[in-house]
């Protein structure tokens, strides 16, 4: 941790502080085995006014790139650290370690509005450039012809240079037929998932009508990797929550408070967690960009959970007017697909099909698919 602080000070990313604010720091492992220096801004984020600038929908980005013949993927070097803070924001960002009391001069990972701020910056810088998708610090240039690809790539690089943004060349891929983008293999007319396990998490995005009755809007399921299958129950619950929030981010990142109902009581302490489990601590920091209120709810009281499966369950409500019901199930992939298919057709369910008593089926009839109105999604 001392080395990380010295690196920040040496490069001008942090300076000595006398701020009345103070947030603790931790080191969390990255996928390449190195350590990421993170500041726990949970207390600061709880009193931060939300920036509602939306992130693009991942599936839309992936689908547009998938049909291309040439794909270039660009990655910004320490993207957030290329955004300077105002004097006031720098003072609020103050952090403490065993050896130092510092404050950031650049936007740090874990700040509630960091994703919205960075997405706005990137969309402003690359505005007007066609065949270019940007999701935070991941930029993709795609085209059907080599000439168009070179032209678009030149425009993107020129715009980034004019904005004084630096790329991480070691993570950039130029003029590839297929690249991994936002967790999918894309290019050459294909979009393929990159995970292949037998268990996973499922989620349903719900929207309430004027009568307060919730209707399913969208569905999500994702398989766990072999490593994730070995997670503890609290880790699987937290991972399912994280995956659902990331998948439905375009709906949930509007700054509204998200009420999370879970039948796994330990998950209610996620925002206040402080222990040696690095994985949970890392996820707790990641979800800080959402205004979460996690509450315990007994499993039998969750009708959606009973409809989808008798499994570990997390339910999320967004007021107004979107809610999310999340079910974490130790099921094989075919079962998850079957659940998702049936969940999209509540009207056709019969008592003998879902193995429930007639009274259970009557409860399910309340849930009718409802497409979100544009105004509702915007909120």
């Amino acid at each position: 941790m001392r080395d990380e602080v010295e690196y920040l000070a040496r490069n001008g990313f942090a300076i000595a502080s006398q701020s009345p604010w103070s947030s603790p720091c931790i080191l969390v492992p990255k996928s390449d085995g190195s350590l990421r220096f993170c500041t726990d801004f949970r207390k600061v984020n709880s009193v931060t006014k939300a920036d509602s600038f939306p992130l693009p929908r991942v599936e839309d980005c992936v689908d547009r790139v998938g049909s291309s013949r040439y794909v270039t993927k660009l990655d910004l070097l320490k993207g957030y650290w290329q955004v300077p803070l105002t004097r006031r924001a720098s003072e609020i960002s103050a952090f403490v370690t065993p050896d130092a009391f510092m404050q950031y001069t650049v936007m740090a990972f874990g700040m509630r509005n960091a994703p919205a701020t960075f997405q706005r910056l990137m969309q402003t810088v690359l505005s007007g450039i066609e065949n270019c998708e940007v999701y935070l610090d991941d930029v993709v240039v795609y085209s059907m012809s080599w000439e168009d690809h070179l032209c678009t790539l030149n425009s993107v690089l020129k715009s980034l240079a004019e904005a004084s943004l630096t790329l991480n060349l070691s993570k950039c891929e130029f003029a590839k037929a297929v690249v991994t983008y936002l967790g999918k293999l894309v290019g050459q007319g294909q979009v393929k998932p990159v995970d292949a396990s037998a268990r996973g998490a499922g989620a349903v995005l719900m929207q309430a009508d004027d009568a307060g009755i919730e209707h399913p809007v969208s569905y999500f399921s994702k398989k766990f990797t072999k490593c994730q299958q070995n997670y503890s129950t609290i880790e699987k619950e937290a991972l399912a929550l994280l995956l659902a929030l990331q998948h439905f981010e375009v709906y949930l990142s509007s700054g509204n408070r998200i009420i999370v109902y879970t039948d796994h009581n330990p998950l209610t302490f996620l925002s206040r967690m402080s222990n040696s489990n690095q994985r949970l601590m890392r996820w707790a920091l990641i979800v800080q960009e959402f205004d979460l209120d996690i509450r315990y709810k007994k499993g039998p009281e969750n009708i959606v959970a009973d409809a989808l499966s008798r499994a570990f369950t997390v339910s999320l409500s967004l007021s107004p007017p979107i809610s999310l019901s999340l079910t974490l199930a130790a099921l094989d992939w075919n079962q998850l697909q079957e659940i998702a298919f049936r969940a999209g057709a509540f009207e056709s369910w019969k008592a003998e099909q879902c193995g429930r008593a007639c009274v259970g089926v009557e409860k399910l009839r309340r849930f009718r698919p409802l497409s979100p109105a544009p105004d509702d999604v915007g909120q």
Side-chain angles (χ1 to χ4, degrees):
M1 187 170 289
R2 183 184 297 111
D3 292 340
E4 292 292 330
V5 173
E6 290 177 354
Y7 174 84
L8 291 172
R10 185 169 59 251
N11 290 278
F13 298 142
I15 57 176
S17 178
Q18 296 181 353
S19 171
W21 299 82
S22 179
S23 297
C25 297
I26 61 173
L27 294 174
V28 297
K30 296 194 293 186
S31 57
D32 60 4
S34 61
L35 295 175
R36 184 195 302 273
F37 181 82
C38 295
T39 304
D40 187 352
F41 285 115
R42 282 178 288 185
K43 290 291 186 181
V44 172
N45 289 340
S46 67
V47 294
T48 298
K49 184 178 180 180
D51 183 344
S52 299
F53 191 85
L55 297 182
R57 190 168 181 266
V58 172
E59 285 73 16
D60 292 339
C61 296
V62 169
D63 289 343
R64 284 192 285 266
V65 176
S67 62
S68 303
R69 295 182 60 188
Y70 303 97
V71 184
T72 290
K73 184 173 71 171
L74 306 175
D75 184 84
L76 270 71
L77 179 64
K78 300 186 182 299
Y80 286 4
W81 287 1
Q82 299 192 46
V83 181
L85 294 180
T86 63
R87 179 177 298 180
R88 173 61 174 160
S90 177
E91 183 180 75
I92 295 174
S93 74
F95 61 91
V96 63
T97 71
D99 305 298
F101 183 44
M102 311 284 285
Q103 64 187 52
Y104 288 99
T105 61
V106 293
M107 190 168 66
F109 175 82
M111 288 182 165
R112 180 179 179 183
N113 290 328
T117 300
F118 197 79
Q119 186 68 32
R120 179 187 288 106
L121 167 66
M122 294 303 296
Q123 289 188 197
T124 300
V125 170
L126 300 177
S127 175
I129 301 179
E130 297 183 355
N131 296 330
C132 173
E133 297 292 334
V134 56
Y135 190 91
L136 296 177
D137 59 350
D138 286 322
V139 181
V140 167
V141 176
Y142 57 97
S143 61
M144 294 300 295
S145 71
W146 178 244
E147 292 76 15
D148 289 343
H149 194 73
L150 291 178
C151 181
T152 304
L153 182 57
N154 180 66
S155 298
V156 169
L157 294 177
K158 181 179 179 180
S159 296
L160 293 176
E162 291 176 349
S164 299
L165 295 173
T166 304
L167 295 174
N168 184 357
L169 289 179
S170 65
K171 292 187 177 180
C172 294
E173 300 180 57
F174 294 92
K176 298 283 188 177
V178 177
V179 300
T180 300
Y181 178 56
L182 301 179
K184 299 289 194 302
L185 284 173
V186 297
Q188 297 295 298
Q190 62 183 3
V191 176
K192 295 182 179 180
V194 296
D195 54 353
S197 69
R199 298 180 180 182
V204 184
L205 187 66
M206 308 290 286
Q207 182 180 27
D209 60 19
D210 293 338
I213 298 176
E214 293 184 329
H215 304 264
V217 174
S218 182
Y219 304 92
F220 161 74
S221 60
K222 183 177 179 61
K223 295 178 288 185
F224 290 149
T225 65
K226 184 175 294 185
C227 176
Q228 291 167 348
Q229 294 179 42
N230 297 323
Y231 286 175
S232 65
T233 300
I234 179 61
E235 289 174 330
K236 288 180 179 178
E237 293 280 358
L239 176 61
L241 171 62
L242 175 62
L243 293 175
L245 290 172
Q246 291 176 333
H247 181 78
F248 294 118
E249 192 166 26
V250 66
Y251 303 109
L252 304 178
S253 61
S254 60
N256 291 314
R257 166 148 291 207
I258 304 169
I259 302 176
V260 181
Y261 295 101
T262 174
D263 66 354
H264 189 68
N265 193 50
L267 194 63
T268 62
F269 301 98
L270 184 64
S271 63
R272 305 184 298 277
M273 189 173 294
S274 179
N275 58 35
S276 59
N277 190 317
Q278 295 288 326
R279 184 178 295 121
L280 288 178
M281 288 300 297
R282 181 171 71 252
W283 292 340
L285 295 176
I286 293 175
V287 301
Q288 285 185 92
E289 63 190 79
F290 300 96
D291 187 8
L292 299 180
D293 180 9
I294 305 179
R295 304 176 184 179
Y296 174 71
K297 185 177 184 180
K298 294 181 180 179
E301 298 177 5
N302 194 320
I303 298 175
V304 175
D306 186 60
L308 293 176
S309 69
R310 298 182 181 273
F312 309 117
T313 303
V314 184
S315 299
L316 295 86
S317 297
L318 177 63
S319 178
I322 300 174
S323 65
L324 177 67
S325 289
L326 171 66
T327 298
L328 169 64
L331 305 172
D332 64 40
W333 188 234
N334 290 331
Q335 288 174 306
L336 283 174
Q337 289 181 315
E338 178 68 13
I339 288 173
F341 171 77
R342 292 188 179 184
F346 281 118
E347 287 299 304
S348 64
W349 279 25
K350 305 297 182 182
E352 63 271 20
Q353 289 177 313
C354 59
R356 302 285 190 266
C358 290
V359 63
V361 175
E362 288 302 317
K363 291 180 180 179
L364 290 175
R365 295 188 192 281
R366 298 191 308 133
F367 298 93
R368 300 169 181 261
L370 177 68
S371 299
D375 290 342
D376 291 332
V377 175
Q379 307 216 359

